[in-house]
Amino acid sequence: MKIARIEAIPFAIPYTKPLRFASGEVHTADHVLIRVHSDDGRIGVAEAPPRPYTYGETQESIVAVIEKIFAPELIGVSLLEREVVHARMDRTIGNPTAKAAVDMAIWDVLGRTLDVSVTQLLGGFTDRMRVSHMVGFAPDDVMVAEAQRVRDTHGITVFKVKVGRRPVDLDVGACRALRTALGPDVELYVDGNRGWTPSEAARALRAMDDLDLTLAEELCPADDVLGRRWLVSQTTVPTVADESATTPGEVTRELLGGSATMISIKTARTGFSTSQRILHQCEGMGVEVVMGNQIDGQLGTACSVAFGAAHRLTSRRAGELSNFLDMRDDLLTEPLEISGGELAVRPGPGIGVDVDPDKLAHYRLDQ
Ligand code: MUC
Ligand code: MG
């Protein structure tokens, strides 16, 4: 039950259409596949998505930190010694998606070793989640057509609309068009990826007061400390901290500072181990959470649903689990399927998915 080897394999799979948002855009899933081998021959997998505009990591930096620093520090550690794993990785600051993927691949190989699913190991609350779909920047009619297609094809009725453009009327118009076209029965919420000032955000929320938005995520930067507090005091829409709350310490700062009222948990940046700490922290403080998406592929999405379904609090709301729908292909032997607006946890041991060797050979960049 010891870690024998860790691989970091860069791969690239194009998107059928780019996802655009206030802090960047994604055209290709240029991710890193992590494989953790145990000394009894089992392999656990996870994927790390580089998001330079959010965490400063690149595909090259993820491969380098895993090969040069984490792997040598972790060889020989037991799969059960998660505290040791994290103490060693935390000697290096930053690099959240690299650390998270190593953590999740260790849980996967542990689950395979014990012949138990990660969802069962983590909490075993349910076996599925409702799905929320992210709608990126585009002309209003294109955003509406995408939401309608996703609703009609996959039964999804919860949409997170990307906002944060200037002038704010662009996004107010897009949200209004979506509400008019989709009717009152779908859930709509917004994510600004730090694009607005607090006063722009307040103006936009006021202009959308009649649209029944359920959440407003990261409308302005965390460094607008007093501005964000002021914004919370101006609105009755719960304000979600996403990229401003990526560690337990940041979660405490955002919540106790009054700059956010809910937390987005992303397994892509906090793995299973630290996501569980953040979840319990929020639960203890009486704060709601949403399972976010780091624009994950199918492997990352399988990790999110494995974690989200494991706990009562994370499975209550729809999780953001559908970004992979816009990828041209993926690495798994059996693709994930969203139907009736839900995504089920894979029943097998660990995360429950397998990487197709032919697909990996085709998309990997290092051979
Ligand atoms: C999101 O919820 O913000 C876009 C940038 C990022 O860091 O995550 C995605 C989605
Ligand atoms: Mg966000």
Side-chain angles (χ1 to χ4, degrees):
M1 273 231 233
K2 287 193 168 135
I3 298 169
R5 183 174 169 219
I6 302 180
E7 293 177 276
I9 304 169
F11 65 92
I13 301 176
Y15 274 78
T16 51
K17 66 173 186 57
L19 179 70
R20 297 198 163 91
F21 43 95
S23 57
E25 53 187 64
V26 171
H27 297 257
T28 305
D30 48 359
H31 298 179
V32 182
L33 174 72
I34 311 303
R35 288 205 287 217
V36 171
H37 301 245
S38 66
D39 58 357
D40 48 8
R42 292 186 175 83
I43 301 177
V45 291
E47 72 175 316
R51 296 286 167 255
Y53 34 78
T54 312
Y55 310 115
E57 293 171 287
T58 63
Q59 194 176 40
E60 293 78 10
S61 80
I62 291 169
V63 172
V65 79
I66 289 174
E67 286 182 348
K68 295 207 167 108
I69 303 184
F70 297 157
E73 284 176 340
L74 299 180
I75 304 304
V77 176
S78 163
L79 300 177
L80 293 168
E81 292 168 352
R82 281 189 297 282
E83 289 286 305
V84 176
V85 167
H86 280 275
R88 294 200 184 164
M89 288 200 292
D90 288 347
R91 292 174 190 157
T92 304
I93 62 160
N95 296 282
T97 73
K99 289 175 182 169
V102 170
D103 175 81
M104 292 190 287
I106 292 174
W107 276 91
D108 187 35
V109 68
L110 176 64
R112 287 168 194 261
T113 306
L114 303 175
D115 198 22
V116 181
S117 81
V118 162
T119 298
Q120 292 290 323
L121 283 174
L122 287 168
F125 184 68
T126 181
D127 66 352
R128 62 197 55 243
M129 286 184 78
R130 282 188 305 123
V131 175
S132 160
H133 182 72
M134 223 178 267
V135 184
F137 295 162
D140 291 1
D141 57 333
V142 176
M143 292 171 77
V144 166
E146 181 189 335
Q148 284 171 328
R149 177 179 55 81
V150 166
R151 181 189 58 186
D152 297 346
T153 313
H154 301 285
I156 294 175
T157 56
V158 183
F159 297 94
K160 166 157 124 172
V161 188
K162 287 299 190 181
V163 299
R165 291 177 288 186
R166 294 198 167 95
V168 298
D169 293 347
L170 275 174
D171 294 325
V172 173
C175 290
R176 192 165 295 287
L178 283 160
R179 175 59 79 207
T180 305
L182 299 170
D185 294 336
V186 304
E187 177 179 341
L188 290 182
Y189 60 105
V190 292
D191 181 1
N193 290 111
R194 301 162 275 146
W196 285 332
T197 62
S199 54
E200 285 171 326
R203 227 185 96 227
L205 287 178
R206 249 192 338 267
M208 296 190 287
D209 205 26
D210 59 329
L211 297 185
D212 193 23
L213 299 178
T214 51
L215 308 173
E217 181 171 311
E218 211 78 59
L219 297 182
C220 28
D223 282 353
D224 294 348
V225 180
L226 295 184
R228 273 169 60 122
R229 277 190 216 168
W230 171 81
L231 182 63
V232 168
S233 77
Q234 296 299 299
T235 177
T236 54
V237 181
T239 51
V240 181
D242 173 12
E243 55 264 47
S244 60
T246 66
T247 63
E250 287 177 355
V251 168
T252 303
R253 212 151 53 219
E254 287 307 301
L255 292 173
L256 296 194
S259 304
T261 57
M262 273 178 69
I263 297 295
S264 171
I265 295 180
K266 291 185 176 173
T267 50
R269 70 172 169 232
T270 40
F272 296 136
S273 304
T274 309
S275 293
Q276 205 167 42
R277 286 176 191 231
I278 290 176
L279 169 64
H280 292 158
Q281 183 183 2
C282 291
E283 205 163 8
M285 287 197 274
V287 166
E288 290 177 67
V289 300
V290 55
M291 285 305 298
N293 196 311
Q294 203 57 75
I295 321 177
D296 303 308
Q298 294 197 18
L299 179 49
T301 305
C303 290
S304 293
V305 73
F307 182 90
H311 309 93
R312 189 166 50 96
L313 208 63
T314 44
S315 56
R316 198 173 275 165
R317 288 192 55 81
E320 295 161 12
L321 300 167
S322 64
N323 284 99
F324 71 85
L325 292 174
D326 292 331
M327 283 170 63
R328 261 190 224 291
D329 198 1
D330 219 304
L331 294 183
L332 303 188
T333 49
E334 275 182 64
L336 299 186
E337 257 181 55
I338 299 171
S339 82
E342 293 184 331
L343 180 64
V345 174
R346 279 295 167 72
I351 297 161
V353 296
D354 290 304
V355 169
D356 182 324
D358 294 333
K359 290 195 175 206
L360 180 59
H362 183 68
Y363 292 115
R364 68 189 294 171
L365 300 172
D366 59 345
Q367 282 182 356

